[in-house]
Amino acid sequence: MLQVLDPSAIRRMVSSSSELVTVLEGAGAPPGLARAVQEHLGATRPDIEVVLYEGGQGGYPLLLGVE
């Protein structure tokens, strides 16, 4: 599923001090994309909390916020 989203893009967004990633799933997102991001981060950065929301936005399959 992450073929749609380059995992290196996610790695570039998070830093050693990142604590939370918020994922807003858009209306046209491929099924399971947000969950794939959550699973990828869980496997590679288990120290970061990942929260998923159905944002329903058009134009963007995912919006990611990193804190």
Side-chain angles (χ1 to χ4, degrees):
M1 179 57 66
L2 281 181
Q3 297 87 5
V4 176
L5 179 66
D6 182 359
S8 67
I10 299 169
R11 286 193 298 272
R12 287 191 306 269
M13 292 181 71
V14 298
S15 69
S16 60
S17 63
S18 298
E19 297 177 352
L20 173 67
V21 173
T22 303
V23 181
L24 297 175
E25 188 171 32
L33 180 60
R35 180 72 58 198
V37 170
Q38 183 181 44
E39 291 172 0
H40 173 75
L41 283 169
T44 59
R45 291 293 306 272
D47 57 313
I48 295 177
E49 180 181 358
V50 182
V51 181
L52 306 180
Y53 293 104
E54 291 184 29
Q57 70 275 0
Y60 298 98
L62 293 180
L63 293 176
L64 303 176
V66 180
E67 298 177 49

